[in-house]
Each structure stands twice: as C-alpha cells, then as structure tokens.
Amino acid sequence: LAGLPAAVAAAREELVAFRDERGRELLDLPDAPRPDPDTPAPVRFLPAFDNAILGYHDRSRIIGDTHRGLSVAGARVVLVDGRVAATWSAEAGAGGGTETVVVTPLRGFSRAERTSVAEQGLELASFLSDGESHRVRIADSGP
C-alpha cells in the first residue's frame, strides 16, 4: 500500500467524495452503483475467523459488544442485515458427510429474517454436501 496515497491523489479528480458517520472521507467512482442506505444487506454465512469481522478496526459496526468474543473464538457466524445475528455449525450425517446446517440465533428473528436465513442455510447445506443435503435447522433463539 506504499503507493496508495500517490495513486489516490492522481485519480482524485475522477472520484466522488462522501463522508461516513465519523466524518471520514470516502472515495468512490462517480458511476459506481450505490444502494439506498435503507436497503437491507443479504443474509451471509461466514466461516470461522472471517476477515469481514476480524478486519474491522471498529467491530461494533458488524458485531455487538455482547458477542464480540465469538470472532476471536472461531465461531462461524450468520450476518443478518450486515450484523452478526447467529452462529452456525454443520452436523455430520450417517455417512460422515454434512447432513444439516444448524443455526443458533443470538436474538429473535422476524419471520422474514428466519425465511432468509433458512434459504441461505439450505444453499450452504447443499454446497457443503456436494448437493446431497438440503437440510437446515434453526434452533430457538437465546435469551
């Protein structure tokens, strides 16, 4: 990244500047797609130690203080609207392969969130089992 400041300076005239909630300058291409700020982020299942959580200087943008330890403990997490909302695991079937993706919510899900989590969980189960399994179980949410 040693040449980054010079590269940004050279391209600055071609970029659009924005400010984040902390007042920091953000740069983007003028014609780059930018969703409406109220657009919900899609559900995502992340592996253990994923950079999406570990790479943030301010992890509170993605994971609440109550659950911050999950990121360094190696938990696999589920993002709902861009924030950690559950953990997940894969249960082995009788043949040893992945049979069921188990989601354990860290908070209650709305009906729409539960549906989205289940849909993505089915996709993950299929991926992990090379198309053999399409099972997902969402456990009861914690306190």
Side-chain angles (χ1 to χ4, degrees):
L1 296 177
L4 186 59
V8 170
R12 184 171 279 286
E13 296 286 324
E14 301 171 36
L15 302 174
V16 177
F18 299 94
R19 295 276 173 198
D20 70 5
E21 61 276 354
R22 293 177 156 180
R24 294 176 297 188
E25 184 177 45
L26 306 173
L27 301 171
D28 202 354
L29 298 171
D31 297 328
R34 287 179 282 280
D36 183 282
D38 294 329
T39 302
V43 169
R44 292 291 183 249
F45 282 67
L46 301 182
F49 305 111
D50 191 87
N51 190 50
I53 296 175
L54 297 178
Y56 275 100
H57 173 70
D58 177 9
R59 291 186 189 149
S60 68
R61 296 179 66 186
I62 193 168
I63 188 168
D65 288 339
T66 306
H67 304 296
R68 184 168 291 185
L70 293 173
S71 63
V72 294
R76 300 169 183 173
V77 299
V78 181
L79 302 183
V80 176
D81 197 20
R83 296 199 41 89
V84 172
T87 59
W88 70 272
S89 61
E91 288 183 351
T98 298
E99 177 146 327
T100 305
V101 169
V102 179
V103 176
T104 304
L106 300 171
R107 61 164 177 79
F109 288 160
S110 70
R111 180 172 284 150
E113 289 172 336
R114 189 176 185 87
T115 298
S116 294
V117 168
E119 288 171 357
Q120 287 300 305
L122 291 172
E123 292 288 329
L124 179 60
S126 178
F127 173 77
L128 293 174
S129 67
D130 202 23
E132 296 294 318
S133 174
H134 300 283
R135 295 185 191 179
V136 63
R137 182 174 75 240
I138 300 177
D140 293 332
S141 62

